[in-house]
């Protein structure tokens, strides 16, 4: 299948008074048409900043220091704002965690959708309405034509997120970055939306980058997983393989802290320690202080090791199943 | 929506009824005008005749009901001092205040919102810092001093603009307006600037704070992620999102400036109602005081009502609650 997004060595940092925060530090991955890529990691690992970098929407004092973001064959890094704006919403879209905060409470759904349509297409009222109804239907809003003139407060949280997804779908973008879009919703609605997003991705060919700190939700959706830690990708591979057979101790820790893997009655296991400050990262593996396998060699940066579809960044990778 | 309007209208009439009692009793309590109106050397007969003709011999509640009765016929009474219908006196002065206040409050709001949004949108630019410095000045310099400086600079030293008075007026709807003639406009500029200075500073702060806060929200990020241009984001999203506090303050300022523009009116010899009410307080001209205060209360009520309706127009959630 065709490659829609090719990210190489992406580095994004915030130049704050306290120093340079390297929020994204050499992230590389590719995305094919219709593929769902899960991006997981603890809070502060750089998932959101990676997503914003892809859209060229990193807030000051942040900026992309280097790397390439090739979307449909064109590198976005260094493009002027005018050119980036033309691609946002049309080639790459984004949805956020809190649907209550993303929609403007003072504007009707019709107005907000029409504004998003007008950003890249000029069509008549009738055609615009037809398109809006079409996408609202696609995301499962019942009776979309009559709901167009409703305001966000007249929708439930799950419905609002669907409206946001519909807005992201308006121009059939190649890629949608979904930043924890179901975290704020209750579990049954989460499951529905996950299910619908998967069929949407298949149907429209839109590739998804599904950001989450929750391995459980993302694993039911993503075909591939990217595990981030302290601004780096520490492990990557097909979802099932990564989950059944993690190579990086950090991934192992994430899996072990899932409620589903815990034994009933026992407390959930946790990764000891906390994420390091991104201000003072040394040369070595950033996970070293929290890692039970760490040795002296971990003071040097681990190189990327790769076998067929899998890749990891660790001096002491966990054994492959069967090989141990 | 209609229910909302009716509900607010009922509320407004209750407020007005209460205000009329409070004003009437309050003004009665300030002092007895008889000593001022009647010369000390007048005979006892003249005294009593005057008191009776003014209706001051009746008990307070009777005086009140006579007043309210006359009011329903549009009669606010006659001034003790000028012996003219009060309404005529006040309406003769009100347009002057009205045009001065409207021009200054509206221009301060428009200017303040534009400058404030810029200062909030590009907080680190030199222009933004200059705007904020001006707003600090607006807050810290007393109004009468600004008025005097304006007169000294533009009227006395440069001679560009007149120092006082209304200038040439034209009649529209039976009242005299200055803003419709060039000469009149040139007379409005300085007092309007004087009145607007503080309000401009306040509006700048309000718009800037709202802008800074709103630009960081997911609503704006989501709009950007959809590829909507910055201009449209500012006009369609931001302006609406920051409008509620701005409209609130606009209404408050409009009301209070209409009622208390007296300092500026005095400095620029602007023949508005401010001057009239100060004079009538000095001589305890009760009918004028009562009518003025009731009209002022009515203005506040009307402004509040309008502000509430504008809120409901802007925010669908308020609309839903009122329906
Ligand atoms: N505006 C900013 N200024 C300075 N540092 C920032 C800024 N935005 C993000 N960062 C830093 O970048 C790092 C990565 O943040 P990011 O929001 O991408 O984490 P995340 O993986 O999305 O976490 P979460 O799961 O909590 O959403 C954090 O350490 C954060 O402190
Ligand atoms: Mg995040």
């Amino acid at each position: 299948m065709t490659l829609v997004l090719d990210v190489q060595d992406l580095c994004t940092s915030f130049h704050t008074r306290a120093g340079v925060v390297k929020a994204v530090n050499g992230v590389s991955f590719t995305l094919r048409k219709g593929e769902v890529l899960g991006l997981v990691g603890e809070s502060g690992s750089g998932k959101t900043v990676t997503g914003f970098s892809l859209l060229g929407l990193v807030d000051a004092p942040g900026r992309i220091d280097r790397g390439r973001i090739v979307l449909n064959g064109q590198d976005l890094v260094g493009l002027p704002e005018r050119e980036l704006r033309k691609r946002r919403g049309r080639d790459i879209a984004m949805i956020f965690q809190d649907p209550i905060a993303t929609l403007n409470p003072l504007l009707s759904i019709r107005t907000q959708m029409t504004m998003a349509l007008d950003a890249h297409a000029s069509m008549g009222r009738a055609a615009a309405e037809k398109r809006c109804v079409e996408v609202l239907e696609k995301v499962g809003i019942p009776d979309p034509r009559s709901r167009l003139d409703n305001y966000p407060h007249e929708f439930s949280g799950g419905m609002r997120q669907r409206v946001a997804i519909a807005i992201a779908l308006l121009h059939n973008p190649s890629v949608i970055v979904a930043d924890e879009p179901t975290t704020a919703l209750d579990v049954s609605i989460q499951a529905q939306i996950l299910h619908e997003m998967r069929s949407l991705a298949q149907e429209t060919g839109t590739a998804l980058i599904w950001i989450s700190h929750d391995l459980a939700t993302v694993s039911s959706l993503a075909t591939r997983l990217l595990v981030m830690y302290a601004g780096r990708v520490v492990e990557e591979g097909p979802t099932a393989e990564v989950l059944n057979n993690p190579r990086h101790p950090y991934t192992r820790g994430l899996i072990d802290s899932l409620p589903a893997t815990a034994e009933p009655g026992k407390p959930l296991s946790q990764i000891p320690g906390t994420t390091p400050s991104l201000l003072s990262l040394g040369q070595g593996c950033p996970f070293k202080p929290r890692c039970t396998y760490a040795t002296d060699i971990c003071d040097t940066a681990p190189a990327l090791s790769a076998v067929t579809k899998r890749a990891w960044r660790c001096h002491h990778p966990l054994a492959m199943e069967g090989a141990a | 929506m209609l229910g909302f309007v009716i509900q607010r209208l009922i509320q407004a009439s209750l407020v007005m009824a209460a205000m009329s009692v409070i004003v009437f009793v309050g003004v009665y309590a300030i002092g007895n005008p008889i000593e001022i109106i009647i010369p000390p050397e007048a005979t006892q007969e003249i005294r009593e005749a005057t008191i009776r003709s003014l209706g001051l011999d009746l008990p307070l509640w009777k005086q009140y009901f006579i007043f309210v009765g006359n009011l329903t016929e549009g009669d606010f009474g006659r001034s003790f001092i000028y012996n003219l219908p009060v309404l005529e006196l006040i309406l003769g002065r009100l347009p002057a205040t009205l045009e001065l206040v409207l021009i200054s409050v509206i221009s301060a709001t428009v200017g303040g919102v534009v400058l404030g949004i810029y200062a909030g949108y590009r907080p680190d630019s030199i222009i933004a810092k200059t705007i904020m410095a001006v707003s600090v000045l607006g807050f810290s310099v007393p109004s009468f001093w600004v008025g005097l400086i304006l007169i000294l600079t533009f009227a006395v030293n440069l001679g560009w603009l007149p120092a006082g008075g209304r200038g040439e007026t034209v009649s529209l709807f039976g009242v005299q307006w200055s803003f419709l003639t060039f000469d009149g406009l040139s007379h409005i500029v300085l007092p309007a600037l004087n009145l607007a200075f503080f309000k401009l500073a306040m509006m700048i702060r309000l718009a800037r704070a709202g802008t800074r806060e709103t630009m960081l929200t997911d609503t704006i990020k989501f709009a950007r992620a959809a590829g909507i241009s910055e201009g449209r984001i500012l006009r369609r999203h931001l302006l609406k999102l920051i409008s509620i506090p701005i409209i609130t303050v606009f209404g408050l300022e409009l009301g209070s400036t209409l009622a208390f523009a007296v300092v500026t009116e005095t400095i620029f010899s602007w023949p508005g109602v401010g001057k009239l009410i100060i004079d009538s307080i000095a001589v305890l001209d009760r009918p004028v005081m009562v009518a003025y205060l009731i009209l002022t209360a009515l203005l506040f009520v009307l402004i509040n009502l309008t502000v509430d309706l504008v809120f409901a127009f802007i925010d669908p959630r308020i609309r839903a609650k009122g329906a």
Side-chain angles (χ1 to χ4, degrees):
Chain A
M1 272 202 283
T2 42
L3 202 64
V4 287
L5 183 65
D6 181 7
V7 177
Q8 292 302 325
D9 193 30
L10 179 65
C11 291
T12 303
S13 55
F14 292 90
H15 297 256
T16 64
R17 252 180 227 145
V20 179
V21 178
K22 291 189 172 167
V24 177
N25 199 347
V27 165
S28 306
F29 62 90
T30 60
L31 199 60
R32 289 170 196 286
K33 196 167 186 288
E35 186 180 22
V36 182
L37 176 71
L39 187 53
V40 296
E42 284 171 302
S43 196
S45 53
K47 307 182 296 291
T48 298
V49 176
T50 304
F52 277 127
S53 301
L54 298 182
L55 278 94
L57 278 180
V58 183
D59 276 330
R63 62 156 190 259
I64 297 178
D65 292 326
R66 64 193 149 88
R68 293 192 306 147
I69 300 170
V70 181
L71 178 66
N72 293 328
Q74 189 176 27
D75 191 354
L76 304 184
V77 176
L79 277 190
E81 169 60 25
R82 224 168 54 84
E83 291 297 312
L84 284 173
R85 188 187 74 70
K86 279 192 203 156
R87 284 164 179 77
R88 274 182 223 134
R90 198 189 66 190
D91 297 331
I92 182 165
M94 186 158 177
I95 48 180
F96 301 117
Q97 174 171 347
D98 183 3
I100 294 173
T102 44
L103 297 175
N104 185 334
L106 307 181
L107 300 176
S108 71
I109 301 305
R110 182 196 295 276
T111 309
Q112 303 194 47
M113 294 190 87
T114 310
M115 277 172 77
L117 261 182
D118 286 350
H120 303 295
S122 54
M123 45 172 81
R125 261 186 78 89
E129 176 169 322
K130 186 163 161 282
R131 179 67 188 144
C132 294
V133 169
E134 213 170 78
V135 286
L136 286 174
E137 213 149 51
K138 219 185 259 181
V139 296
I141 303 267
D143 194 13
R145 192 172 297 273
S146 70
R147 310 244 28 200
L148 261 182
D149 289 306
N150 285 25
Y151 287 84
H153 74 273
E154 295 167 289
F155 291 84
S156 67
M159 283 296 163
R160 277 186 233 191
Q161 192 60 290
R162 284 165 207 254
V163 171
I165 294 169
I167 290 176
L169 284 172
L170 273 173
H171 297 282
N172 273 330
S174 313
V175 179
I176 294 181
V177 180
D179 190 359
E180 312 203 30
T182 58
T183 313
L185 307 176
D186 67 53
V187 182
S188 63
I189 293 178
Q190 262 187 30
Q192 277 175 22
I193 289 188
L194 286 175
H195 177 78
E196 279 157 18
M197 287 306 283
R198 184 166 38 201
S199 46
L200 276 176
Q202 272 160 8
E203 217 176 281
T204 59
T206 297
L208 284 179
I209 297 176
W210 197 271
I211 297 176
S212 179
H213 55 242
D214 178 12
L215 261 180
T217 53
V218 85
S219 60
S220 70
L221 184 69
T223 44
R224 252 180 339 126
L225 276 188
L226 214 60
V227 183
M228 277 189 81
Y229 185 76
R232 288 157 230 227
V233 175
V234 293
E235 176 151 16
E236 180 188 351
T239 306
E241 287 181 40
V242 172
L243 288 183
N244 294 331
N245 200 347
R247 307 287 338 248
H248 200 287
Y250 175 65
T251 315
R252 170 92 267 160
L254 284 181
I255 296 168
D256 287 344
S257 55
L258 279 180
T261 60
E263 285 175 48
K266 280 203 179 162
L268 291 179
S269 76
Q270 275 185 342
I271 305 175
T274 54
T275 40
S277 159
L278 297 176
L279 277 171
S280 52
L281 279 184
Q283 279 298 304
C285 172
F287 192 56
K288 184 191 172 209
R290 306 171 69 185
C291 184
T292 44
Y293 302 87
T295 58
D296 285 348
I297 194 177
C298 298
D299 286 326
T300 63
L304 193 72
S305 323
V307 171
T308 57
K309 290 175 182 165
R310 312 258 328 245
W312 58 89
R313 209 179 276 272
C314 182
H315 289 296
H316 306 292
L318 303 173
M320 289 285 247
E321 204 109 293
Chain B
M1 196 62 198
L2 190 67
F4 180 76
V5 176
I6 291 171
Q7 187 198 333
R8 293 315 309 254
L9 281 176
I10 293 172
Q11 254 180 39
S13 21
L14 289 180
V15 168
M16 282 314 297
M19 266 313 291
S20 71
V21 176
I22 294 170
V23 163
F24 207 82
V25 174
V27 167
Y28 190 89
I30 291 179
N32 194 340
I34 294 166
E35 308 308 327
I36 297 173
I37 298 168
I38 304 171
E41 65 275 13
T43 64
Q44 191 60 25
E45 276 145 47
I46 294 181
R47 271 181 79 90
E48 274 164 18
T50 314
I51 291 173
R52 221 171 307 121
S53 76
L54 294 176
L56 293 173
D57 54 337
L58 299 171
L60 179 61
W61 62 270
K62 256 193 188 158
Q63 289 187 32
Y64 174 74
F65 281 109
I66 290 172
F67 169 74
V68 173
N70 291 340
L71 211 55
T72 52
E73 286 157 24
D75 179 9
F76 276 83
R78 289 181 89 82
S79 160
F80 291 165
I81 307 295
Y82 302 98
N83 196 23
L84 281 170
V86 167
L87 202 59
E88 200 177 290
L89 257 180
I90 292 182
L91 289 187
R93 303 285 202 108
L94 196 61
T97 300
L98 209 59
E99 64 180 345
L100 174 62
V101 168
L102 276 177
I103 287 178
S104 68
V105 175
I106 290 175
S107 49
T109 305
V110 173
V113 167
V114 170
L115 294 177
I117 288 179
Y118 186 89
Y121 185 68
R122 296 226 177 287
D124 297 321
S125 64
I126 293 174
I127 296 178
K129 288 187 175 140
T130 316
I131 293 171
M132 293 324 288
V134 170
S135 88
V136 170
L137 217 63
F139 271 118
S140 38
V141 180
S143 175
F144 74 88
W145 187 81
V146 174
L148 293 178
I149 293 296
L150 283 174
I151 291 179
L152 264 180
T153 317
F154 294 102
V156 178
N157 287 338
L158 294 170
W160 291 352
L161 292 163
R166 273 188 92 180
E168 201 182 316
T169 59
V170 266
S171 171
L172 183 71
F173 306 123
V175 276
Q176 299 294 318
W177 302 96
S178 292
F179 76 99
L180 293 170
T181 68
F182 184 77
D183 182 57
L185 261 186
S186 73
H187 279 78
I188 291 183
V189 173
L190 288 187
L193 264 180
N194 186 201
L195 269 184
F197 199 46
F198 177 82
K199 300 170 211 316
L200 180 77
M202 188 158 50
M203 286 297 179
I204 287 176
R205 301 238 139 198
L206 215 55
R208 174 177 179 268
T211 303
R212 292 203 71 173
E213 199 179 304
T214 306
M215 289 315 286
L216 297 176
T217 60
D218 278 359
T219 305
I220 300 298
K221 286 205 182 112
F222 187 60
R224 282 181 170 153
I228 296 168
S229 67
E230 291 295 290
R232 285 198 106 195
I233 288 177
L234 293 184
R235 269 179 283 121
R236 305 286 307 271
H237 281 295
L238 177 82
L239 205 54
K240 255 198 161 172
L241 287 167
I242 66 171
S243 62
I244 297 270
I246 288 172
I247 291 166
T248 311
V249 171
F250 175 84
L252 287 174
E253 280 300 309
L254 191 59
S256 64
T257 315
L258 276 172
F260 312 111
V262 59
V263 173
T264 299
E265 286 183 3
T266 310
I267 295 174
F268 291 92
S269 343
W270 191 260
V273 276
K275 189 89 174 46
L276 176 69
I277 185 62
I278 292 296
D279 291 347
S280 62
I281 289 173
V283 297
L284 292 177
D285 195 350
R286 271 192 200 163
V288 176
M289 283 192 274
V290 170
Y292 172 80
L293 288 174
I294 286 187
L295 281 178
T296 306
L298 183 67
L299 261 174
F300 269 94
V301 166
L302 286 180
I303 290 171
N304 274 335
L305 190 66
T306 314
V307 164
D308 282 340
L309 289 178
V310 173
F311 281 177
F313 179 74
I314 291 178
D315 194 332
R317 293 166 295 184
I318 297 176
R319 208 150 57 221
K321 241 181 261 163

